[in-house]
Structures are given as C-alpha cells and as structure tokens.
Amino acid sequence: MRAGLVVLRRLGETLLTVFLMVTIVFFLLRVVGDPAELLVAPEATHADLDKLRAQLGLDRPLLEQYVDYMRSVVTFDFGRSLTQNRGAGELVGEAVRPTLELTGLALLIGVPVSIILGSIAALRRGGIVDTVTTAFATLGRAMPSFWLGLMLIITVAVGLRWLPASGYGTFQQLILPSVTLSMIVIADVTRLTRSSLLEAYGNDYVRTAYAKGAGPARVTWFHVFRNAMVPVITIIGLRTAVLISGSIVVESVFAVPGLGWLLIRAINRFDFPVVQATIILIGFLVIATSLLVDIAYVLIDPRSRSVRRA
Amino acid sequence: MFAGREVGTLRSMFTTPSALVGVVVLATVVVCAIFADVISPVDPAQQHLLYRLSPPGTVSEDGVTFVLGTDGLGRDVLSGIIHGSRVSLIVAVTAVGLGMLIGVALGLVSGYSGGWLDTVIMRAVDVTIVLPFMLMALVLRLALGPGLGSIVIALGISGWATHARLVRGEVLSLRNKEYVLASVANGAPHGFIMLRRILPHVLASAIVLASLQVGVTIVAEASLTFLGLGVPPEIPSWGQMLANGRDYMTRAWWVTTFSGLAIVLTVLALNLIGDWLRDYRDPRLER
C-alpha cells in the first residue's frame, strides 16, 4: 500500500476513535454517574436535584441528550460554564496552550537526554554511565511525578531560589514543570534506547555492512541507529499520551493554568460542562498524538507501509 | 519440600541482587501494613499540638521521639507513613486483582471462542485503551462518586484491557496445541478445557503483568488522592499526607519528602520484583 493511503486510513480510524471516546465519556458520566448529583451541595433535597436536572436538560431521554450533545460537539459548542459566564469551549481553548507548551518542552528536554544517555549506556555497556543510567531510569520509573515536582520546588525554588516555584507567563516558570514531566519520558526511553541499540547490533545487516567495508562510525549511525530508533519512536509516542495525562497532576502542583489545572478546578467547583469538555479535549490530544506517531512511523520505516499493523 | 522448578526460582531470586532488594523492601512494607498498630510509635491521628511542624528527631517532653518529624497538626509523620501503607497496598492489590480477574476471564473467552464474541470483547479493549490509564481512572472515579470502593473499581477497570489483550494472544497460540486438541477430541467440555488446559499456561504471564501494574496503580491512587479525588481524607494515606504537607512545604520539608519516599521505595521494590519475574520467565523480553 502506498504511504498516502495508509495515512488516509489511519485518519479515518482516528476519527472513529475520537467519536468512540466522546461517546464513552458521555455515557460514563451520564449513566454510571449523575451530573446533577455531582453539581449540588451534599445537603440538597430531591426537589433541588429535580429542578437542576430540568434546568440542564438531564431529565430528557438519554438518546436525545446524546444526539444533541454530539451535534453540538461537532460544532465545537461544549455548553456554558456553570461558574463563569463563558463558554466551556472558550475556557478549554485558553488552557490548551500552556499544556502544549509544557508537554512540548518536556519532550524537547526528555527525548535528547534519553537518547544520548541510552546510546552511551549501550556503546559502553557495563561502564559507569551504563550503571548510573540504569539506576537513574529505574528510580525515575518509581517516582510519582507530582512528588518529584514538590521536591524540585523545595530544593530549586525555595532552597536555592534559582527558579520560580509556580505560575505561568514567563519561560522561567515553565522550566521546573517541564523538567518534572520530562522524567516520564527519560525513565522509559533511556532504557529502551539502550536495549534497542544492543539488539540492533546483533543483526545480520551489521555484519554485512562491516563485510562491505563500512567503518564502525558508519555502521553505528547509518545502519544500527536508524533501525534501533523505530521502537524508540513508538514508545515516545506512547509516552506523549502519558505526558498529556501526566500534566493533569503536574499542572496542579505548579499552578500552570493548562488543561489539567482547569479540569481539577472544574471538578472541585462542580462545573460539569467544563469537566466534560476538558476530558474530551485531553482525549482528543492523546489520540491525535498517536496519529502523528503512526505517520512518522510510515515515513521512517518502509516496512510499515505494506504490513497491516497489529 | 520444593519441586525442582521452585528451587530454581528461589535460587535465581537470591542471585539477582536487585530482586532480593525488592523482596526485602516489599516485605518490610507489608509487615508495616499488617502490624501497623504494633509498630507505629504513636497513634497517627493523635495531635501533639505543642509540637506542630517539629523537625525529624524532635523529642517531646513526655519522651516521645518524632523520628521523621510532625505535620501541621502535630501528628507523627512516621506513624502516618506506617499506617498509610495499608490503604496504598490494599487499594492497589485489590484494584489490580479486579482488573486481572476481568481481563483474564474475558481474554480467555475471547481467544478461545473467537467469532463475534471475540470481536465484541476486543473492540471493548480498544475503547478502554483509548484514554490513558490516569484519565480513564479519573473519569470512572467521577462517574462512580467518592469513596474507597469507587477508587478501587475505577483503578481496576482502567487496567483490565491490557490483561485481556495479553491473555487472548496467548490463548490463540495455545488453542491449536496437540494437548488441547486431544482434550477436544476426548469430548471435554469447553469450560474444562479453558480452565484446566489453557488457564494454567496463561496465568504466569498475567501474574507478571499484574506485578508490574501494582506499582503503577499505587502511583495513580496517590496522584488521585493528592488531587482530592482518591482515598477519602479520613483514612490515613500517603497521597493525603503529601497533599497536606504541600501547604507548609516551605517551612517543613519532611512531611512531603518522607511520605513521597515511602511511595518511591514501595513502587521501586515492586518494579524490581516485576522486572526480575519477567526476565526469569523469558530472558529475551528485556525491554
């Protein structure tokens, strides 16, 4: 199959996934949960609840609500915020930028660091860098990102006074949350780069390349590295999804007014339309990321153009 | 006393230093959780109001040593951490167990029966995996409302799909093995074949996956609790201590530092054991 066709098909699949995601979020919050109960104070009476349901249109048949909701979501109308006199879509739109900046910077820090560390560890297997890197990655995997964030605030911001502890607006304020978030990438990608490189060295084409007279540098960079990067890109893509959801907690720690911060604030204020819109947008970003990774995949690895993905 | 294979397992554990460290640390945490009332120096809920935010090592007038300091209400941090291990372990293990139970059962049926049932279950897997673990757990927790039960269900249901996918794959490769076909030819009922002929072979990989999931689940629970959406505040938990400690983090670093370290050490121990289990079962799976 040609690359264009593969991309087009993935695009179709992605649209379907987005549709499914919105449907799940809608039904989970309506059928399993009750938005009205989420909204009212604990001491509210049944009459209060009924009144609120009628007000929000929650007393209508479920299917009708669903069709209505889907129709408005397609036109990017997510309803109005219950606590601020603004559209939920507008609020969410404003929160996208900080989240994207945060995850983008986290990737910008995390990917080079982990590929460099992983490569050194693989090339000097058993050396000091290898041992330290492996220990570092193992520790990083066990560390909750919000705790790392708090520790960085205590040491770097409060103790050393090098960087601001929280907020958003300047580049300095982005550094600590991005470094915190980048640990999610570093912990996994370093390990994978190392093992992927080691595995690639064992392949027949390495021997062939040497036999054809290629030097070690050419073999490493041209043959081994390129092949070893395929699984690494997959993991980076998967990690990006985790980064976006990981930013929910990290944004709350550093008071970055992104999607995660908005979501938690809306939950605490019982602002149901905003909660729903934020979850859908985060889900959308995650799905869009995995689409981008798949496209990158098709461009890098010719094999993926012909074989149907599992 | 031990069958040959088990001796091999034990020996491999003792010759892998990281696994041994993991087992020792985890055993300590489990002992703390079980004997929390005996081990913890003071009642974790008791407020020593004269000794609020005392640094680690402070000794009170009536001779109580606050080894890891006290929090903003004068509660002993060490005792809080010891008691908090209970809820972290119980929630994570029950949630992973729940996810594993659902996942293994559905994966088994999906792979064995094939056909439309397989399609339906696998689409459900795809749908669950659409949202990342944390986000899925958050949505479920919102839908289910507050409470310890709903956090367990939310975390458990978020994790079933990985099990289902793994088990189905293994069942597909086992279904046409000679000994399974022999069972079919003998006229054994499907339930018997699934539970007695296939399940024992897929259980090992499901357990390895589960052991790696427990750590992730502990972190997810602590994150949700930290955000005020997890374990109810009246139950002592690590996530809650971290959230409380955050308010006076600049004056009392020890509350957040030590309660977070408890999470790191526990998850680290679980990961080391999980990694070792995986490598021991299949050394090629280094990833």
Side-chain angles (χ1 to χ4, degrees), chain A residues 132-153:
Chain A
V132 172
T133 305
T134 307
F136 183 64
T138 313
L139 196 65
R141 225 158 39 104
M143 213 183 289
S145 47
F146 65 95
W147 183 68
L148 176 64
L150 293 175
M151 291 301 106
L152 285 176
I153 291 180

mmCIF file of all heavy atoms in Angstrom, chain A residues 132-153:
data_model
loop_
_atom_site.group_PDB
_atom_site.id
_atom_site.type_symbol
_atom_site.label_atom_id
_atom_site.label_comp_id
_atom_site.label_asym_id
_atom_site.label_seq_id
_atom_site.Cartn_x
_atom_site.Cartn_y
_atom_site.Cartn_z
ATOM 1 N N VAL A 132 25.014 3.926 36.126
ATOM 2 C CA VAL A 132 24.318 5.078 36.694
ATOM 3 C C VAL A 132 23.001 5.331 35.963
ATOM 4 O O VAL A 132 21.957 5.561 36.584
ATOM 5 C CB VAL A 132 25.223 6.334 36.642
ATOM 6 C CG1 VAL A 132 24.444 7.579 37.060
ATOM 7 C CG2 VAL A 132 26.444 6.148 37.524
ATOM 8 N N THR A 133 23.061 5.252 34.619
ATOM 9 C CA THR A 133 21.863 5.498 33.825
ATOM 10 C C THR A 133 20.761 4.498 34.158
ATOM 11 O O THR A 133 19.595 4.854 34.314
ATOM 12 C CB THR A 133 22.191 5.403 32.319
ATOM 13 O OG1 THR A 133 23.245 6.301 32.042
ATOM 14 C CG2 THR A 133 21.004 5.748 31.477
ATOM 15 N N THR A 134 21.148 3.218 34.253
ATOM 16 C CA THR A 134 20.156 2.193 34.549
ATOM 17 C C THR A 134 19.518 2.439 35.915
ATOM 18 O O THR A 134 18.295 2.365 36.071
ATOM 19 C CB THR A 134 20.807 0.796 34.506
ATOM 20 O OG1 THR A 134 21.486 0.664 33.260
ATOM 21 C CG2 THR A 134 19.772 -0.287 34.616
ATOM 22 N N ALA A 135 20.356 2.767 36.896
ATOM 23 C CA ALA A 135 19.832 3.038 38.234
ATOM 24 C C ALA A 135 18.891 4.246 38.211
ATOM 25 O O ALA A 135 17.795 4.224 38.792
ATOM 26 C CB ALA A 135 20.985 3.289 39.209
ATOM 27 N N PHE A 136 19.320 5.282 37.499
ATOM 28 C CA PHE A 136 18.560 6.512 37.372
ATOM 29 C C PHE A 136 17.188 6.237 36.741
ATOM 30 O O PHE A 136 16.150 6.701 37.219
ATOM 31 C CB PHE A 136 19.379 7.471 36.504
ATOM 32 C CG PHE A 136 18.786 8.823 36.316
ATOM 33 C CD1 PHE A 136 18.603 9.681 37.384
ATOM 34 C CD2 PHE A 136 18.412 9.256 35.051
ATOM 35 C CE1 PHE A 136 18.067 10.945 37.195
ATOM 36 C CE2 PHE A 136 17.874 10.512 34.853
ATOM 37 C CZ PHE A 136 17.701 11.356 35.932
ATOM 38 N N ALA A 137 17.199 5.435 35.663
ATOM 39 C CA ALA A 137 15.951 5.137 34.956
ATOM 40 C C ALA A 137 15.017 4.308 35.838
ATOM 41 O O ALA A 137 13.806 4.521 35.856
ATOM 42 C CB ALA A 137 16.242 4.408 33.653
ATOM 43 N N THR A 138 15.591 3.355 36.587
ATOM 44 C CA THR A 138 14.778 2.519 37.457
ATOM 45 C C THR A 138 14.120 3.368 38.541
ATOM 46 O O THR A 138 12.943 3.221 38.852
ATOM 47 C CB THR A 138 15.644 1.425 38.119
ATOM 48 O OG1 THR A 138 16.448 0.834 37.110
ATOM 49 C CG2 THR A 138 14.797 0.368 38.768
ATOM 50 N N LEU A 139 14.903 4.279 39.091
ATOM 51 C CA LEU A 139 14.379 5.172 40.121
ATOM 52 C C LEU A 139 13.303 6.085 39.531
ATOM 53 O O LEU A 139 12.247 6.290 40.131
ATOM 54 C CB LEU A 139 15.525 6.016 40.688
ATOM 55 C CG LEU A 139 15.242 6.725 42.010
ATOM 56 C CD1 LEU A 139 15.037 5.709 43.113
ATOM 57 C CD2 LEU A 139 16.369 7.673 42.365
ATOM 58 N N GLY A 140 13.569 6.605 38.334
ATOM 59 C CA GLY A 140 12.633 7.518 37.689
ATOM 60 C C GLY A 140 11.282 6.879 37.438
ATOM 61 O O GLY A 140 10.244 7.523 37.533
ATOM 62 N N ARG A 141 11.316 5.584 37.138
ATOM 63 C CA ARG A 141 10.071 4.874 36.855
ATOM 64 C C ARG A 141 9.221 4.722 38.110
ATOM 65 O O ARG A 141 8.009 4.569 38.032
ATOM 66 C CB ARG A 141 10.421 3.485 36.313
ATOM 67 C CG ARG A 141 9.625 3.071 35.120
ATOM 68 C CD ARG A 141 10.337 1.997 34.311
ATOM 69 N NE ARG A 141 11.016 1.018 35.113
ATOM 70 C CZ ARG A 141 10.572 -0.225 35.322
ATOM 71 N NH1 ARG A 141 9.433 -0.610 34.837
ATOM 72 N NH2 ARG A 141 11.271 -1.073 36.044
ATOM 73 N N ALA A 142 9.869 4.733 39.274
ATOM 74 C CA ALA A 142 9.141 4.506 40.519
ATOM 75 C C ALA A 142 8.656 5.812 41.147
ATOM 76 O O ALA A 142 7.950 5.803 42.136
ATOM 77 C CB ALA A 142 10.021 3.750 41.512
ATOM 78 N N MET A 143 9.067 6.944 40.556
ATOM 79 C CA MET A 143 8.807 8.224 41.208
ATOM 80 C C MET A 143 7.521 8.854 40.696
ATOM 81 O O MET A 143 7.396 9.102 39.503
ATOM 82 C CB MET A 143 9.992 9.138 40.914
ATOM 83 C CG MET A 143 10.298 10.081 42.031
ATOM 84 S SD MET A 143 11.634 11.161 41.557
ATOM 85 C CE MET A 143 13.025 10.096 41.558
ATOM 86 N N PRO A 144 6.553 9.134 41.584
ATOM 87 C CA PRO A 144 5.362 9.838 41.110
ATOM 88 C C PRO A 144 5.760 11.243 40.680
ATOM 89 O O PRO A 144 6.519 11.903 41.386
ATOM 90 C CB PRO A 144 4.462 9.910 42.348
ATOM 91 C CG PRO A 144 5.090 9.060 43.384
ATOM 92 C CD PRO A 144 6.527 8.885 43.031
ATOM 93 N N SER A 145 5.273 11.704 39.523
ATOM 94 C CA SER A 145 5.757 12.988 39.007
ATOM 95 C C SER A 145 5.382 14.153 39.921
ATOM 96 O O SER A 145 6.141 15.103 40.048
ATOM 97 C CB SER A 145 5.268 13.217 37.587
ATOM 98 O OG SER A 145 3.906 12.930 37.496
ATOM 99 N N PHE A 146 4.225 14.050 40.602
ATOM 100 C CA PHE A 146 3.871 15.188 41.451
ATOM 101 C C PHE A 146 4.817 15.297 42.636
ATOM 102 O O PHE A 146 5.137 16.392 43.091
ATOM 103 C CB PHE A 146 2.415 15.106 41.916
ATOM 104 C CG PHE A 146 2.089 13.953 42.808
ATOM 105 C CD1 PHE A 146 2.103 14.103 44.181
ATOM 106 C CD2 PHE A 146 1.747 12.729 42.280
ATOM 107 C CE1 PHE A 146 1.790 13.038 45.014
ATOM 108 C CE2 PHE A 146 1.431 11.669 43.100
ATOM 109 C CZ PHE A 146 1.462 11.823 44.467
ATOM 110 N N TRP A 147 5.341 14.171 43.096
ATOM 111 C CA TRP A 147 6.297 14.228 44.215
ATOM 112 C C TRP A 147 7.621 14.830 43.757
ATOM 113 O O TRP A 147 8.203 15.684 44.421
ATOM 114 C CB TRP A 147 6.519 12.836 44.806
ATOM 115 C CG TRP A 147 7.430 12.852 45.993
ATOM 116 C CD1 TRP A 147 7.160 13.394 47.217
ATOM 117 C CD2 TRP A 147 8.760 12.344 46.056
ATOM 118 N NE1 TRP A 147 8.239 13.237 48.050
ATOM 119 C CE2 TRP A 147 9.232 12.602 47.373
ATOM 120 C CE3 TRP A 147 9.593 11.682 45.155
ATOM 121 C CZ2 TRP A 147 10.506 12.222 47.790
ATOM 122 C CZ3 TRP A 147 10.853 11.308 45.568
ATOM 123 C CH2 TRP A 147 11.301 11.583 46.877
ATOM 124 N N LEU A 148 8.084 14.394 42.584
ATOM 125 C CA LEU A 148 9.303 14.975 42.030
ATOM 126 C C LEU A 148 9.138 16.492 41.902
ATOM 127 O O LEU A 148 10.045 17.264 42.238
ATOM 128 C CB LEU A 148 9.591 14.353 40.660
ATOM 129 C CG LEU A 148 10.790 14.923 39.917
ATOM 130 C CD1 LEU A 148 12.069 14.639 40.673
ATOM 131 C CD2 LEU A 148 10.884 14.366 38.506
ATOM 132 N N GLY A 149 7.951 16.912 41.446
ATOM 133 C CA GLY A 149 7.664 18.338 41.325
ATOM 134 C C GLY A 149 7.784 19.048 42.660
ATOM 135 O O GLY A 149 8.428 20.100 42.773
ATOM 136 N N LEU A 150 7.193 18.457 43.698
ATOM 137 C CA LEU A 150 7.252 19.069 45.029
ATOM 138 C C LEU A 150 8.699 19.153 45.524
ATOM 139 O O LEU A 150 9.118 20.153 46.107
ATOM 140 C CB LEU A 150 6.407 18.266 46.023
ATOM 141 C CG LEU A 150 4.887 18.270 45.796
ATOM 142 C CD1 LEU A 150 4.195 17.333 46.767
ATOM 143 C CD2 LEU A 150 4.333 19.674 45.945
ATOM 144 N N MET A 151 9.471 18.081 45.251
ATOM 145 C CA MET A 151 10.875 18.080 45.692
ATOM 146 C C MET A 151 11.669 19.164 44.969
ATOM 147 O O MET A 151 12.521 19.835 45.561
ATOM 148 C CB MET A 151 11.518 16.710 45.410
ATOM 149 C CG MET A 151 10.998 15.571 46.263
ATOM 150 S SD MET A 151 11.235 15.839 48.027
ATOM 151 C CE MET A 151 9.597 16.227 48.552
ATOM 152 N N LEU A 152 11.399 19.345 43.678
ATOM 153 C CA LEU A 152 12.088 20.386 42.926
ATOM 154 C C LEU A 152 11.719 21.765 43.462
ATOM 155 O O LEU A 152 12.566 22.657 43.545
ATOM 156 C CB LEU A 152 11.746 20.292 41.434
ATOM 157 C CG LEU A 152 12.417 19.160 40.668
ATOM 158 C CD1 LEU A 152 11.941 19.111 39.232
ATOM 159 C CD2 LEU A 152 13.937 19.320 40.701
ATOM 160 N N ILE A 153 10.456 21.941 43.849
ATOM 161 C CA ILE A 153 10.048 23.229 44.419
ATOM 162 C C ILE A 153 10.819 23.478 45.716
ATOM 163 O O ILE A 153 11.381 24.552 45.930
ATOM 164 C CB ILE A 153 8.528 23.263 44.682
ATOM 165 C CG1 ILE A 153 7.770 23.269 43.360
ATOM 166 C CG2 ILE A 153 8.147 24.492 45.499
ATOM 167 C CD1 ILE A 153 6.270 23.303 43.497
#
